[in-house]
Amino acid sequence: MAKKRSTTSGIEIKEVYTGPSHMDELPGEFPFTRGIQKDMYRGKPWTMRQYAGFSTAEESNKRYHYLLSQGTTGLSVAFDLPTQIGYDSDHELSEGEVGKVGVAIDSLQDMEILFAGIQLKDITTSMTINATAATLLAMYIALAKKQGADLTQISGTIQNDILKEYAARGTYIYPPTPSMRLITDVFEYCSKEVPKWNTISISGYHIREAGSTAVQELAFTLANGKAYLKAALEKGLDINVFAKRLSFFFNCHNNFFEEIAKFRAARRMWAHITKELGATDEGAQKLRFHTQTGGSTLTAQQPFNNIIRVSNQALAAVLGGTQSLHTNGYDEALSLPTEAAAKIALRTQQIIAFESGVTDTVDPLAGSYFVEALTNDIEAAAQLYIDKIDALGGAVKAIEQDYIQQEIAASAYQYQNDIECGEKVLVGVNKFTQPEEAPSNVFRVDDAIRQMQVEKIKNLKNKRDNEAVKENLQLLRIAALGTENLMPLIVSSVESYATLGEIADTLRDVFGEY
């Protein structure tokens, strides 16, 4: 008897699929299974948004100019760990981490350097930042104002998804309740001041990187999305307004058809979730998402194999209908991507867009018996998780009860066990192996950059108006004790050149740490 086969989420794959498909749905129409635009990529290709940021603002600025010169159509900023958890580069806990996994941003001064020679009105920018998202967005807004940009026209995204930090990634600062307050303050502020800004990118990416299955990634991400919708509704915001500015961030791994079906199911499920919570405007029912190829699928062994993995994943994301895409560099299992690896990653997207022909029609795999059935199966499996989370009281309660974390951990354990026992094949790792040579061209960040950042902070504090900083931080503290929207006060603080750490510490004093 032939061995049974299943997807990475454990959904059994039949030997052959037959029977009628549900082909009455059209792209651009509720529930958007086949895409959120009628013409999809025939009208405009997805945004090719390469993720970059390392060392100092000066060095990252050079990489941004290089990527723009090579045809990237949107910037995506990676921040270092101290920036992500609200410490300035001169903090004792920042030692050894400054500029390592992203760029160090300590103040508006660094943001000015980061985008030197780049007009914010002419680009879209995605910033992968969560606990300190309000402060980094405030810096971006302050810089746009200094450039003379019309704030109603600047566009981009902040990740701002704190719930998945508690469940999967760990870069939180404050307890869940004040963290959710900051998020809804951003929703409210941006709806009035920067209406084209996407105020949250609800992230399944890091849930998947922590070891979840595709179904868990979908379920836990949408459950978090429901929690954000409900929090905004409780604040009195109009779902038909704020839901249009919510976007999602998904991972794309190697199981080609499962990933495509996951994206199709995500759109359909979100359309029903928003409708059930009161959204009547189709624009508020559409799930728009960015995709990044799977970082955890990259191997340090035979790293050039990763070019094929990334190509496979990128094609699945496109066939699944992504709105923007980042392709990983083949060498990222070894280090930050080299310039050569970043170029190959971008060229991968460009070849898919302009040479493969997959953009010539909308949802080209629609009607495939397998894809349609798998879309339904993934939706049903994800809905079981969402029902369980709802029964626990929603995503925040499920996280506080450790339910989501335990489910991810169990899946991660099973995945690793399958590799070690040979049940799952990883080319170059547990099959088709060869003697490895030490890599000769890896990217390393110089530890000396911390001292450079420390000197910058010292000089900034010597020349800024410290009384104005003190006054703005005191006003922020008072507001944090009440219910006032904190965004205008954070903007005022960064405009006086208060540092990221000073702002985070002010809120730590009021909210506490988690």
Side-chain angles (χ1 to χ4, degrees), residues 339-380:
E339 204 165 89
K343 182 190 288 187
I344 291 172
L346 178 58
R347 293 289 184 259
T348 300
Q349 295 199 49
Q350 291 165 336
I351 289 168
I352 292 171
F354 302 111
E355 296 186 24
S356 72
V358 297
T359 62
D360 291 340
T361 189
V362 182
D363 195 19
L365 293 183
S368 157
Y369 296 145
F370 178 42
V371 170
E372 297 291 353
L374 190 54
T375 300
N376 294 338
D377 289 345
I378 287 175
E379 178 180 13

Side-chain angles (χ1 to χ4, degrees), residues 310-351:
V310 169
S311 300
N312 176 65
Q313 295 163 9
L315 183 58
V318 170
L319 290 171
T322 192
Q323 276 63 68
S324 69
L325 177 61
H326 165 82
T327 32
N328 290 326
Y330 69 84
D331 54 2
E332 288 190 55
L334 301 168
S335 69
L336 290 170
T338 57
E339 204 165 89
K343 182 190 288 187
I344 291 172
L346 178 58
R347 293 289 184 259
T348 300
Q349 295 199 49
Q350 291 165 336
I351 289 168

